[in-house]
Structure formats: C-alpha cells, structure tokens
Amino acid sequence: SRLAWSPSIAPPGLTLYRESRYPDWAGKLFVGGLASRSLLRLRSGQDTGLLVEEARMFPGLRTRIRDVRTGPDGYLYVLTDEESGKLLRLVPPAAPR
C-alpha cells in the first residue's frame, strides 16, 4: 500500500517501533517531516493494512525533522534539521504514583 500527503510533509525517514519503552506505541510507524516540521505517528489496521491512525506529535517543536530512529536502548531518537541540529531522545512520562 502507498501513503501520500498533500501538500507533502517531505518525509526523510521513518521507523517501525517494536520495543517496549513505550508500550502504547508498539507496532506503530514514526515519520519525520521536513516541510511539515512535525513527527507523525501512524498505525495501520491489523486486518487491512490500511492507515487507521495519524497523529502529529510535539506541535510546539516547530523544527524540521530530518530522521527518526529506534535506538539500541529501545528509545526513539529524533534528529532535527537546522544549523545547530539536535539529537533528541523521546522519554516516556513517568508512571503515576
């Protein structure tokens, strides 16, 4: 199946999350957006494989996302595309006590 955005988000990279640091995100795709300046979380339906969920994450970040990867430690890492780019590690919120 294909996925297209209009206007294009200019997706440079993606990762399929298969780790356990973020249990609610297991099996979801994460896509960076250069033009959209966003990180997208996507989920496809188990039966159809069609996109059933799309969420733009961290809207306040407002920077071009060059890449997103799953690190060997099970965390998601986001690389920003700017003159002094940043490598951001996404950390899940602490569990309520």
Side-chain angles (χ1 to χ4, degrees):
S1 76
R2 291 185 178 188
L3 181 60
W5 289 273
S6 181
S8 175
I9 66 166
L14 64 86
T15 191
L16 173 61
Y17 189 73
R18 298 179 188 194
E19 301 296 329
S20 60
R21 294 272 185 192
Y22 323 89
D24 293 341
W25 294 351
K28 296 185 179 174
L29 283 168
F30 290 82
V31 181
L34 289 167
S36 67
R37 297 176 179 263
S38 61
L39 176 66
L40 292 124
R41 184 181 68 235
L42 308 172
R43 181 173 64 89
S44 60
Q46 291 180 343
D47 296 334
T48 64
L50 299 174
L51 181 65
V52 296
E53 175 187 334
E54 176 180 326
R56 288 190 187 230
M57 304 177 66
F58 314 111
L61 195 57
R62 292 186 231 151
T63 189
R64 294 163 48 96
I65 305 298
R66 169 59 60 190
D67 203 1
V68 57
R69 298 287 169 115
T70 304
D73 58 1
Y75 286 105
L76 284 174
Y77 288 83
V78 173
L79 182 63
T80 67
D81 183 54
E82 51 200 355
E83 191 170 317
S84 58
K86 297 175 182 74
L87 178 62
L88 308 172
R89 181 176 74 166
L90 305 184
V91 179
R97 294 178 187 222

